[in-house]
Amino acid sequence: MKKARGIKLKNNFVFCYPILEESKSAMLKKVTEVDEQKKCIIELRLDYLLNAGMNIAEIIKIISLIKAKYTNKKLIATIRTVSEGGKVDLTKEKYFLFIKELYLKSKVHYIDVEYKFYKIDKIYYDSLFKKKKKKIIISMHIFDRIFFENEYVKLFTEMAESSGNIVKFAIKTFTKEDLFSFMITARKCEKIMKKNKKESIYIAMGMVGTLSRLLPEFTKTKIVFLSAYKDIDVELGQLNREKYVKYRNMLAKIDKN
């Protein structure tokens, strides 16, 4: 693809599909459907299973089944809590216990860890992650406010100084100004990420924010989250693959017209 508005469309990122299912059979079926996209990461949203009453030991067994069948597929284990758009409300002690079990016993490549929990018990998480068994995504999801540039810089710097491998920051944007301020600041902060040897994932949620997913090159984002389902997620601004490819191709043609 050629460049769009001064940004080269390099396609040097990988798609990730969150699997939002509440039973073993449904999750296995959906993973099979998504596996048709050969070059992709699968995010197992374990909060859906926990919300359905499954315990962490049962969940780890399901992960083992998936990994045994799809040996070359990279998996992200995510327990998204209610305050960040997920399905479960956990104490910091329970959350750490689940992360520890996943880190030591599950067969995933990445584990998503919410920054609010990491920050509270940094000593315990840092000690656990010294084992270097998995790659850690330090994440934050904001739905109810927009930040100023200095606030973004301060927060991204703090997250980059964590013991994680990847910094993921997602914020719901309501206007074009919100979106552009976020994306431009994220781009400026790439030096901070490089200094701390971190990769980054920047997502502007909401339909206004869809451009952040369509132009991941602008913020140096290497993982783009798409919907694994037929319908797009309007709240998150999460497109399915068909819509994504359509709009990327449109961007690729801009400079040709």
Side-chain angles (χ1 to χ4, degrees):
M1 290 183 176
K2 302 293 185 181
K3 64 181 181 179
R5 302 192 182 194
I7 303 300
K8 293 182 179 179
L9 303 187
K10 299 178 181 179
N11 292 334
N12 59 348
F13 56 88
V14 63
F15 290 143
C16 179
Y17 296 92
I19 306 299
L20 318 175
E21 302 294 344
E22 296 187 334
S23 70
K24 171 184 172 181
S25 59
M27 182 164 280
L28 291 172
K29 181 180 178 182
K30 179 55 69 172
V31 170
T32 299
E33 292 175 7
V34 170
D35 187 56
E36 293 178 4
Q37 305 299 328
K38 296 303 179 184
K39 187 182 178 182
C40 72
I41 298 172
I42 294 175
E43 181 184 38
L44 304 176
R45 281 287 300 276
L46 307 181
D47 47 302
Y48 279 78
L49 297 178
L50 289 168
N51 188 55
M54 203 170 293
N55 63 49
I56 197 67
E58 293 172 316
I59 289 172
I60 289 173
K61 288 180 181 178
I62 292 173
I63 293 172
S64 294
L65 286 174
I66 293 171
K67 191 60 182 175
K69 185 173 182 181
Y70 304 104
T71 55
N72 296 322
K73 193 69 69 181
K74 290 183 178 179
L75 305 176
I76 302 175
T78 298
I79 299 174
R80 185 71 64 230
T81 59
V82 171
S83 65
E84 299 211 5
K87 292 293 184 179
V88 291
D89 193 10
L90 301 172
T91 64
K92 66 185 183 69
E93 293 83 8
K94 196 73 170 179
Y95 185 86
F96 178 75
L97 176 62
F98 288 164
I99 294 298
K100 183 178 180 180
E101 289 291 293
L102 290 167
Y103 189 80
L104 297 177
K105 298 178 182 179
S106 73
K107 296 181 179 180
V108 298
H109 190 75
Y110 305 94
I111 296 180
D112 183 295
V113 176
E114 292 181 1
Y115 182 60
K116 67 174 183 284
F117 287 113
Y118 172 84
K119 186 167 58 172
I120 293 171
D121 289 321
K122 183 178 184 300
I123 293 175
Y124 298 113
Y125 284 101
D126 287 349
S127 177
L128 177 64
F129 299 155
K130 281 181 182 178
K131 302 179 189 300
K132 306 292 184 183
K133 287 180 174 290
K134 311 279 193 300
K135 286 193 174 183
I136 301 300
I137 301 171
I138 298 293
S139 70
M140 179 174 279
H141 299 73
I142 305 293
F143 294 90
D144 58 356
R145 63 158 295 189
I146 292 297
F147 291 83
F148 294 108
E149 181 176 339
N150 64 317
E151 293 177 298
Y152 281 129
V153 173
K154 182 176 183 295
L155 187 53
F156 295 163
T157 300
E158 291 175 356
M159 295 176 75
E161 291 172 350
S162 72
S163 59
N165 306 98
I166 301 171
V167 170
K168 178 188 178 187
F169 187 88
I171 188 166
K172 186 169 183 179
T173 51
F174 302 92
T175 67
K176 289 184 294 183
E177 289 73 20
D178 296 340
L179 170 65
F180 296 149
S181 175
F182 169 62
M183 290 182 67
I184 290 169
T185 307
R187 183 179 175 87
K188 289 179 181 177
C189 288
E190 179 61 17
K191 291 181 181 179
I192 296 172
M193 297 300 159
K194 284 186 176 180
K195 177 183 176 182
N196 289 278
K197 299 179 181 179
K198 298 292 191 294
E199 294 182 352
S200 53
I201 301 169
Y202 296 107
I203 302 169
M205 297 182 288
M207 288 311 293
V208 172
T210 301
L211 184 64
S212 69
R213 301 177 195 266
L214 288 168
L215 278 179
E217 293 92 344
F218 188 85
T219 56
K220 312 298 182 182
T221 290
K222 298 300 182 184
I223 300 177
V224 173
F225 288 76
L226 298 183
S227 173
Y229 301 85
K230 183 176 180 180
D231 295 330
I232 66 174
D233 191 319
V234 176
E235 176 71 13
L236 296 181
Q238 200 172 75
L239 303 172
N240 57 32
R241 190 177 187 280
E242 181 182 2
K243 291 284 187 183
Y244 191 91
V245 171
K246 175 183 176 181
Y247 295 143
R248 280 281 290 190
N249 287 338
M250 289 172 65
L251 287 174
K253 292 177 182 178
I254 288 177
D255 283 352
K256 294 180 180 179
N257 298 328

